[in-house]
Amino acid sequence: METVRNRNPPRVKYTAPQKAEPVSNFTEKEKKTITELKQLYLETINLDVALQRDIYNIEKKYEDKHNIIFDKRKKILEEFRKQNHGDVETTQSVPNFWLRVLKASYTEFISKRDEKILECLSDIRSRLYNEPVVKFDIEFHFDPNDYFTNKVLTKTYFLNCLPDPDDPLVYDGAEIYKCEGCVIDWKQSKDQTKTENQEPSFFEFFSPPLLPEDTLDPNYCGVNAMLQNDFEVGFYLKERVIPKAVIFFTGEISDCQSTSGSETESDDTEDESEAEEEDGVDK
């Protein structure tokens, strides 16, 4: 059975409502002790920050080694396509390897109109940067095609690994605070992004919305929810889909990026367990 990678994703930056006032009915001696304890907690936060930086440095160190393996994977797929060019049975899926991988990992993002374009997808890679800011790219490499001139479509996610200087004690690990897409140079008005009365398109992924600066803006919550999902998808691609592509392709892993489904399934399982327990009591 495929094991789950034991790593927590960066949190999504979120401007929370004003915090409740802390309990203040402590004695002076208690307040002094609490201050000392908070200072120790701040020291653990500083250690966590240093640890996170070391983790990213190690990950960057091993990125080149991973890419050597991914280059071999790409070469195997290219050789299969060349050897079977013009003689590929309709039942064969390897020529559309990455399309099948994406459909297995988050199907709700891919429309029928997108599939023809994604048949030209030759590789997906991630690239980590530690300086001057921490960020990572998700790169979608395409063969020459009739749809756009871009060889690579890129999505970039920016991470903040430092505590808020105004309130360092609320630090809870690295957070993704923004993302940037890229311009798709479509050929002859073959733009596949969503227009009026059209279903959503996978290629909207490269045009993320901008989060309003004002948290009272009526669009803030909706955009924030969209970006939260976007950030989760980016990290999911980087940590699971890219390295585990072959078992997504074969169907040996099926943890589709759709939290609603898993939550519903979990709730159903809990309800069934509770029902069974009640039946046992009745008997």
Side-chain angles (χ1 to χ4, degrees), residues 11-18 164 170 175-178 211 215 220-225 228 231:
R11 298 183 305 111
V12 177
K13 184 175 178 60
Y14 172 68
T15 303
Q18 186 175 1
D164 182 348
V170 301
E175 61 181 12
I176 298 175
Y177 64 92
K178 73 171 182 177
L211 185 67
T215 57
Y220 182 89
C221 290
V223 173
N224 186 73
Q228 178 172 343
F231 296 164

Side-chain angles (χ1 to χ4, degrees), residues 228-274:
Q228 178 172 343
N229 183 69
D230 189 310
F231 296 164
E232 291 173 353
V233 167
F235 192 80
Y236 178 72
L237 284 167
K238 175 179 178 292
E239 292 294 314
R240 293 187 67 74
V241 177
I242 294 174
K244 302 175 184 291
V246 67
I247 53 177
F248 275 105
F249 177 82
T250 60
E252 295 171 78
I253 179 175
S254 57
D255 59 349
C256 182
Q257 180 66 8
S258 176
T259 55
S260 58
S262 60
E263 288 171 355
T264 302
E265 182 179 346
S266 176
D267 292 342
D268 291 344
T269 302
E270 290 177 1
D271 292 342
E272 291 174 2
S273 299
E274 291 174 0

Side-chain angles (χ1 to χ4, degrees), residues 99-163:
L99 169 60
R100 185 177 175 122
V101 168
L102 289 176
K103 290 180 68 176
S105 54
Y106 53 103
T107 55
E108 67 267 32
F109 288 89
I110 300 174
S111 71
K112 290 295 183 181
R113 295 180 298 110
D114 298 327
E115 291 189 13
K116 281 293 183 184
I117 306 175
L118 292 174
E119 289 177 0
C120 304
L121 182 60
S122 61
D123 201 6
I124 306 177
R125 298 287 181 97
S126 65
R127 189 181 304 274
L128 178 66
Y129 300 87
N130 287 341
E131 300 293 345
V133 297
V134 179
K135 62 181 182 178
F136 65 88
D137 291 343
I138 304 295
E139 300 175 345
F140 294 77
H141 296 252
F142 286 84
D143 293 330
N145 59 77
D146 295 331
Y147 303 97
F148 46 73
T149 60
N150 310 66
K151 293 182 179 179
V152 181
L153 299 182
T154 304
K155 187 74 168 286
T156 303
Y157 294 87
F158 295 83
L159 285 77
N160 175 33
C161 303
L162 299 175

Side-chain angles (χ1 to χ4, degrees), residues 73-74 76-101 115-123 141-143 249:
R73 177 174 67 186
K74 183 179 181 181
I76 289 172
L77 292 171
E78 288 177 343
E79 288 179 349
F80 181 92
R81 295 170 68 185
K82 289 178 181 177
Q83 292 171 3
N84 293 272
H85 180 69
D87 187 33
V88 178
E89 299 177 13
T90 55
T91 56
Q92 289 184 345
S93 301
V94 171
N96 299 326
F97 179 84
W98 285 106
L99 169 60
R100 185 177 175 122
V101 168
E115 291 189 13
K116 281 293 183 184
I117 306 175
L118 292 174
E119 289 177 0
C120 304
L121 182 60
S122 61
D123 201 6
H141 296 252
F142 286 84
D143 293 330
F249 177 82

